[in-house]
Amino acid sequence: MRAAALRLFAQGGYAAVSMRAIAAEVGVQAGALYNYTPDKQTLLFDLMESHMTELLAAVPQTGDADPQTLLHDFVGFHIRFHHARPDAVFIAYMELRNLTEANFARIEALRRRYEDGLECILRNGVATGAFAVHDTKIATLAIIAMLTGVNTWFRAGGRLSLDEVTAQYQNMVRKAVRAD
Amino acid sequence: MRAAALRLFAQGGYAAVSMRAIAAEVGVQAGALYNYTPDKQTLLFDLMESHMTELLAAVPQTGDADPQTLLHDFVGFHIRFHHARPDAVFIAYMELRNLTEANFARIEALRRRYEDGLECILRNGVATGAFAVHDTKIATLAIIAMLTGVNTWFRAGGRLSLDEVTAQYQNMVRKAVRAD
DNA sequence: GTCTATATAGTGATAGAC
DNA sequence: GTCTATCACTATATAGAC
């Protein structure tokens, strides 16, 4: 059910997808779904929370490596992780407004924790003089927006491989934050 | 009607907003709206097309100035233009999937024309040696995603003014594409 | 645990009075 | 040009048979 809902929500949007449509995708009647979720809102929230939890579990831990290496690895991780889950990423960014206030706050807290990981790398780099960034929070948001944007246009089998694209983003990010 | 629909679509999403809700916002009954739009789909398309047309009309023309100046001005224009129209920007990015195939193609064509303006600046800069970018198309998409992301978090009256934020983005973009 | 049936409400769009 | 009334559908969620 969750796989079907993920696919359909990403395709048509939460509001436009009926429980009947999800049930049809699964191969059952609509009523049967309510044995697996109390309601549609909870189903959406669970999908988003699972995505964010997986993201936080998978992000490379900020270790002892130098800031340049950590940033390079973060860029590679972000692009690859998000490329592998286009539907979940789409929903996590587009369906925030369809969450109840309480559910929205919980997803936002998870998202902020992810951002904090990148900002920590940038702050350490600024402290060591490896990076020159006026405001690490702004740089964090700018980098994440740039990286997540890959999902909106990249298609495997196109002109460039994902590794080639990743290398170019790593290069742009490296230059954007480096000390002059 | 268009102003009401813009606000409500941005708030709740195209699929979740009824013609009755738009009519209530305007202060008329639902039937009256059909004197101003043939249907809900055309209303959405008109909002998006107007936004893209205004964007293309307002973007600074690629002139004889040096690439660094043109890029600097493009960044400033993009952030300011999009900041002034949060609802239209939100709809233009989030409701693409609710357009019919034909309407989607027309909006996409306009969006591509906007991207081409930036790519032209980058290509000229690479040609003169001012910029070092492996792939101007990727750099174009990366920069636009980064800039549009400002709308998701910036709020006037916060820690930084829009001009301060803009200056930081201009600096990051300048560094990201410059020749080593 | 899935089914059918249904309660209750809302949807986009249209017809015709005024 | 706006209104009321309505058509034909669809929605989420629940009840109770099996």
Side-chain angles (χ1 to χ4, degrees):
Chain A
M1 176 191 65
R2 291 162 57 95
L6 192 75
R7 188 165 46 247
L8 291 177
F9 286 165
Q11 203 168 78
Y14 172 78
V17 174
S18 67
M19 293 297 274
R20 279 174 179 77
I22 298 169
E25 184 90 353
V26 175
V28 296
Q29 291 300 314
L33 296 182
Y34 290 86
N35 290 313
Y36 300 95
T37 183
D39 50 42
K40 196 184 171 189
Q41 163 73 204
T42 303
L43 176 54
L44 174 63
F45 172 74
D46 286 344
L47 292 174
M48 295 173 84
E49 190 191 35
S50 294
H51 171 66
M52 293 308 298
T53 303
E54 283 175 34
L55 176 64
L56 286 168
V59 63
Q61 283 303 307
T62 301
D64 294 337
D66 64 301
Q68 287 98 336
T69 302
L70 290 172
L71 182 58
H72 179 93
D73 290 348
F74 181 92
V75 171
F77 163 76
H78 186 101
I79 292 177
R80 186 153 294 279
F81 186 92
H82 285 67
H83 170 67
R85 293 157 179 79
D87 288 345
V89 171
F90 198 73
I91 290 171
Y93 280 81
M94 308 277 274
E95 304 295 354
L96 284 168
R97 64 183 168 190
N98 286 310
L99 291 174
T100 62
E101 206 169 333
N103 285 342
F104 176 78
R106 291 173 63 184
I107 298 297
E108 275 295 288
L110 295 172
R111 197 179 52 76
R112 197 154 318 176
R113 262 176 53 196
Y114 182 66
E115 291 171 3
D116 287 346
L118 173 56
E119 193 180 1
C120 181
I121 294 171
L122 294 178
R123 263 202 307 264
N124 289 342
V126 170
T128 67
F131 300 155
V133 172
H134 280 104
D135 189 294
T136 53
K137 186 65 185 171
I138 287 183
T140 296
L141 296 169
I143 290 169
I144 288 180
M146 182 172 133
L147 299 181
T148 305
V150 173
N151 262 34
T152 66
W153 59 265
F154 179 81
R155 296 294 173 268
R159 187 165 54 87
L160 296 168
S161 71
L162 187 60
D163 284 341
E164 290 170 325
V165 170
T166 299
Q168 294 195 32
Y169 275 81
Q170 285 167 329
N171 199 36
M172 281 189 287
V173 170
R174 176 183 62 79
K175 288 165 68 180
V177 304
R178 73 174 167 186
D180 285 292
Chain B
M1 176 191 65
R2 290 163 57 95
L6 193 74
R7 187 163 48 246
L8 292 177
F9 285 166
Q11 202 168 79
Y14 172 78
V17 174
S18 67
M19 294 296 275
R20 280 171 179 78
I22 298 170
E25 183 90 351
V26 176
V28 297
Q29 292 300 314
L33 296 182
Y34 290 87
N35 289 314
Y36 300 95
T37 182
D39 50 42
K40 195 183 173 190
Q41 164 72 206
T42 303
L43 176 55
L44 174 64
F45 172 74
D46 286 344
L47 292 174
M48 295 173 84
E49 190 191 35
S50 293
H51 170 67
M52 293 307 299
T53 302
E54 284 176 33
L55 175 65
L56 286 168
V59 64
Q61 282 303 307
T62 300
D64 292 338
D66 62 300
Q68 285 99 335
T69 301
L70 290 171
L71 182 58
H72 179 92
D73 291 347
F74 181 91
V75 171
F77 162 77
H78 185 101
I79 291 176
R80 187 154 292 281
F81 185 92
H82 285 68
H83 170 69
R85 294 158 179 79
D87 288 346
V89 171
F90 197 73
I91 289 170
Y93 280 81
M94 308 278 276
E95 304 295 356
L96 286 168
R97 63 184 168 190
N98 285 310
L99 292 173
T100 61
E101 207 169 333
N103 285 343
F104 177 78
R106 292 173 61 184
I107 298 297
E108 275 294 288
L110 294 172
R111 198 179 52 76
R112 196 153 319 175
R113 261 176 52 196
Y114 182 65
E115 292 170 2
D116 287 346
L118 173 55
E119 194 180 359
C120 181
I121 294 171
L122 294 179
R123 263 201 307 263
N124 289 343
V126 170
T128 67
F131 299 154
V133 171
H134 280 104
D135 189 293
T136 53
K137 186 65 184 171
I138 287 183
T140 296
L141 296 170
I143 290 169
I144 288 179
M146 182 171 133
L147 300 181
T148 305
V150 173
N151 261 34
T152 66
W153 59 265
F154 179 81
R155 296 293 174 267
R159 186 164 55 87
L160 297 168
S161 72
L162 187 61
D163 284 341
E164 290 169 326
V165 170
T166 299
Q168 294 196 31
Y169 274 81
Q170 285 167 330
N171 200 34
M172 281 189 287
V173 169
R174 175 184 62 78
K175 288 165 68 181
V177 304
R178 73 174 167 184
D180 287 293

